[in-house]
């Protein structure tokens, strides 16, 4: 009898008790809006911003309604206007080109390498096409950030980092989100901290952050922020910046603050799970594992491997056989967007010239979530199942050819 995995790939851990109690306290006093405070009170949202800025080493932090809102606000704050081209990853998810398109701007896709990071030679080739790069650290894979910043710096291209998958991760000892003008995070349920919906924005840029705070809907209450530019920074900006409300409320901030205190510990747990899956899949015939560079301190809340140059029907067979044994694999090569996966050319609102090298890699990317509700034994079992099914399809294919 072959073993079947019984776990749920989308089940996150409960909110820590401390977060539940803090949320109940906010509901009891009723002051959920971040600017609704009594004398001497500091709003949970302001405290979260202060603590997240401290945790990442950023000067400023703004808590907002979603990760997508964080990205659009960052793009607006650095001056992206309708019609502007914005460089971004071809290996991506819907909210990223969506954020660019929501401003009336135009995504210009940059390819992906076999290491699942942005292709720096393609970036060099396209760098003159735009003034801004929205860099998505897709599925937690971080490119050579030193080189990327050199390329962008030399051409005067502003970098915005989408860190939805790299909260807590570092390149060469620097937190992801600290290289670009803005780092954008999501605190939606599937990310590294869970408030249902939510986002965070960090920056050292005084004017850009002042604009972001005005946009988020601070009215003239920006002096209630703590990890924010001083009131003088708003003197002119407050008259010039449209309000596009997208604040975070105190309830979500209260849920997040205890999770932030646990973040480093949680990151260690994700990586322990990742290493068990990686060890279990090592040297599977036909499978390519992703090499993780030494400079990259990643946070592996998901796992990817490649079935490079496999025919589509064989990949579908692997997905179906794993699914029959309880293991949910997502395939980035499917022609139709499915669930949370999609391809750059799924989005017909944006130009998508053919990218054959990128298509070859996307066609082989297999992706799996690793929630912390899985034990290390669960991870070992998942790896055994994938290994068995990939091997079976691979052998079948070899026998037939
Ligand atoms: C989830 C996600 C976002 C957007 O976050 P939301 O909070 O859902 O708006 C942006 N980029 C990537 C890569 C994501 O996975």
């Amino acid at each position: 009898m072959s073993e079947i995995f019984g776990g749920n790939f989308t089940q996150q851990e409960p909110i820590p008790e401390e977060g539940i109690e803090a949320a109940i306290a906010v509901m009891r006093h009723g002051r959920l809006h971040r600017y609704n405070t009594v004398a001497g009170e500091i709003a949970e949202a302001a405290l979260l911003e202060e603590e997240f800025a401290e945790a990442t080493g950023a000067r400023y932090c703004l808590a907002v309604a979603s990760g997508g809102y964080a990205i659009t606000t960052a793009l607006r704050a650095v001056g992206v206007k309708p019609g502007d081209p914005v460089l971004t990853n071809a290996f991506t998810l819907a909210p990223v080109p969506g954020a660019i398109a929501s401003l009336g701007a135009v995504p210009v896709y940059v390819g992906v390498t076999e290491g699942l990071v942005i292709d720096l030679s393609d970036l060099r080739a396209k760098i003159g096409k735009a003034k801004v790069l929205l860099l998505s650290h897709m599925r937690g894979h971080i490119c050579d950030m030193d080189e990327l910043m050199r390329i962008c710096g030399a051409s005067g291209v502003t970098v915005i980092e989408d860190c939805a998958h790299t909260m807590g991760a570092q390149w060469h000892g620097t937190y992801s989100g600290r290289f670009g003008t803005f780092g954008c995070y999501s605190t939606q349920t599937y990310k590294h901290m869970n408030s249902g919906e939510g986002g965070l924005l960090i920056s050292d840029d005084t004017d850009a952050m002042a604009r972001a705070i005005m946009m988020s809907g601070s009215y003239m209450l920006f002096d209630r922020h703590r990890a924010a530019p001083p009131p003088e920074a708003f003197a002119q900006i407050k008259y010039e910046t449209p309000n596009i409300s997208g604040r975070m409320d105190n309830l979500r901030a209260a849920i997040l603050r205890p999770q932030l205190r646990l973040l480093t510990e949680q990151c260690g747990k994700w990586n322990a799970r990742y290493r068990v899956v990686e060890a279990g899949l090592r040297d599977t015939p036909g499978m390519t594992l992703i090499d993780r560079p030494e400079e990259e301190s990643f946070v592996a809340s998901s796992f990817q491997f490649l079935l490079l140059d496999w025919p589509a029907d064989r990949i579908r067979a692997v997905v179906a056989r794993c699914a029959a044994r309880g293991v949910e694999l997502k395939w980035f090569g499917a022609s139709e967007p499915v669930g949370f996966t999609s391809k750059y050319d799924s989005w017909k609102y944006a130009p998508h010239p053919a990218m054959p090298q990128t298509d070859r890699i996307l066609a082989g990317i297999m992706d799996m979530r690793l929630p912390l509700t899985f034990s290390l034994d669960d991870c070992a079992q998942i790896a055994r199942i994938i290994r068995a099914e990939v091997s079976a399809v691979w052998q079948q294919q070899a026998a037939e050819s």
Side-chain angles (χ1 to χ4, degrees):
M1 255 322 273
S2 51
E3 54 185 347
I4 292 181
F5 179 62
N8 179 344
F9 281 79
T10 53
Q11 181 61 57
Q12 302 292 66
E13 292 180 301
I15 302 302
E17 275 313 311
E18 222 191 316
I20 295 172
E21 276 165 30
I24 289 172
V26 170
M27 289 189 281
R28 289 232 156 87
H29 67 53
R31 294 182 294 280
L32 274 71
H33 192 287
R34 66 170 297 162
Y35 300 122
N36 183 204
T37 48
V38 292
E41 184 184 20
I42 304 165
E44 291 280 345
L47 290 169
L48 172 67
E49 289 164 349
E50 190 169 48
E51 289 159 5
F52 195 73
E54 200 198 324
T56 53
R59 280 174 86 182
Y60 309 126
C61 176
L62 175 66
V64 295
S66 73
Y69 184 88
I71 297 172
T72 54
T73 303
L75 291 171
R76 286 192 173 97
V78 300
V80 174
K81 298 277 183 304
D84 286 355
V86 176
L87 294 158
T88 195
N89 309 59
F91 173 37
T92 188
L93 290 174
V96 183
I100 297 169
S102 78
L103 273 73
V106 183
V108 177
Y109 296 108
V110 182
V112 65
T113 68
E114 286 185 27
L116 302 189
V117 296
I118 193 164
D119 180 348
L120 295 181
S121 58
D122 196 29
L123 179 64
R124 270 186 218 100
K126 292 174 176 161
I127 197 76
K129 289 182 187 280
K131 284 288 156 213
V132 175
L133 164 66
L134 172 55
L135 171 68
S136 193
H137 301 294
M138 204 25 204
R139 288 294 186 255
H141 298 272
I142 305 179
C143 74
D144 180 341
M145 287 304 294
D146 305 312
E147 186 55 21
L148 178 131
M149 293 309 291
R150 263 195 295 277
I151 296 168
C152 292
S155 296
V157 167
T158 301
V159 179
I160 307 280
E161 294 178 72
D162 169 15
C163 305
H165 303 164
T166 53
M167 183 186 279
Q170 299 182 341
W171 176 264
H172 233 145
T174 299
Y175 278 109
S176 123
R178 296 290 295 130
F179 292 88
T181 302
F182 279 102
C184 309
Y185 303 81
S186 168
T187 62
Q188 188 241 74
T189 295
Y190 300 109
K191 312 296 163 86
H192 297 178
M193 299 199 294
N194 173 12
S195 58
E197 303 286 355
L200 291 159
L201 200 53
I202 59 169
S203 184
D204 285 353
D205 187 314
T206 301
D207 283 356
M209 188 51 107
R211 282 192 287 274
I213 290 172
M214 287 308 299
M215 277 185 245
S216 74
S218 66
Y219 300 90
M220 296 300 150
L221 302 170
F222 41 80
D223 62 343
R224 307 254 189 105
H225 289 241
R226 293 166 74 84
E232 317 75 273
F234 294 82
Q236 198 53 36
I237 282 170
K238 69 184 179 189
Y239 300 116
E240 295 169 350
T241 311
N243 180 322
I244 311 169
S245 290
R247 296 169 300 269
M248 182 183 283
D249 56 87
N250 288 330
L251 189 54
R252 290 193 176 109
I255 292 172
L256 290 171
R257 290 180 62 216
Q259 294 181 56
L260 179 56
R261 292 194 276 278
L262 294 172
L263 182 62
T264 308
E265 192 183 320
Q266 300 287 86
C267 293
K269 291 185 193 166
W270 265 304
N271 289 354
R273 281 152 183 76
Y274 182 91
R275 291 302 185 191
V276 169
V277 175
E278 187 182 47
L281 293 180
R282 182 89 45 216
D283 301 323
T284 304
M287 177 189 291
T288 309
L289 293 182
I290 312 300
D291 282 329
R292 309 300 303 241
E294 217 173 275
E295 297 90 337
E296 184 197 33
S297 309
F298 57 87
V299 179
S301 47
S302 65
F303 193 97
Q304 292 74 41
F305 60 87
L306 293 170
L307 298 178
L308 214 46
D309 303 322
W310 282 44
D313 60 327
R314 303 291 171 161
I315 292 187
R316 276 189 221 103
V318 168
V319 172
R321 293 174 68 129
C322 286
R325 295 180 63 184
V327 173
E328 255 179 64
L329 292 179
K330 303 281 191 276
W331 178 36
F332 271 86
S335 51
E336 278 295 307
V338 183
F340 288 107
T341 54
S342 60
K343 290 201 303 177
Y344 69 97
D345 58 3
S346 305
W347 310 111
K348 307 307 178 199
Y349 56 73
H352 45 274
M355 305 178 74
Q357 280 171 293
T358 285
D359 290 341
R360 170 178 173 253
I361 291 163
L362 291 178
I365 300 180
M366 311 306 294
D367 175 49
M368 172 175 73
R369 298 172 37 74
L370 282 181
L372 291 180
T373 47
F374 288 179
S375 66
L376 295 178
D377 286 345
D378 289 341
C379 293
Q381 186 185 32
I382 289 166
R384 282 196 303 276
I385 291 171
I386 296 174
R387 184 184 193 91
E389 297 306 332
V390 168
S391 303
V393 176
W394 177 257
Q395 277 156 19
Q396 207 174 34
Q397 186 168 235
E400 287 168 20
S401 62

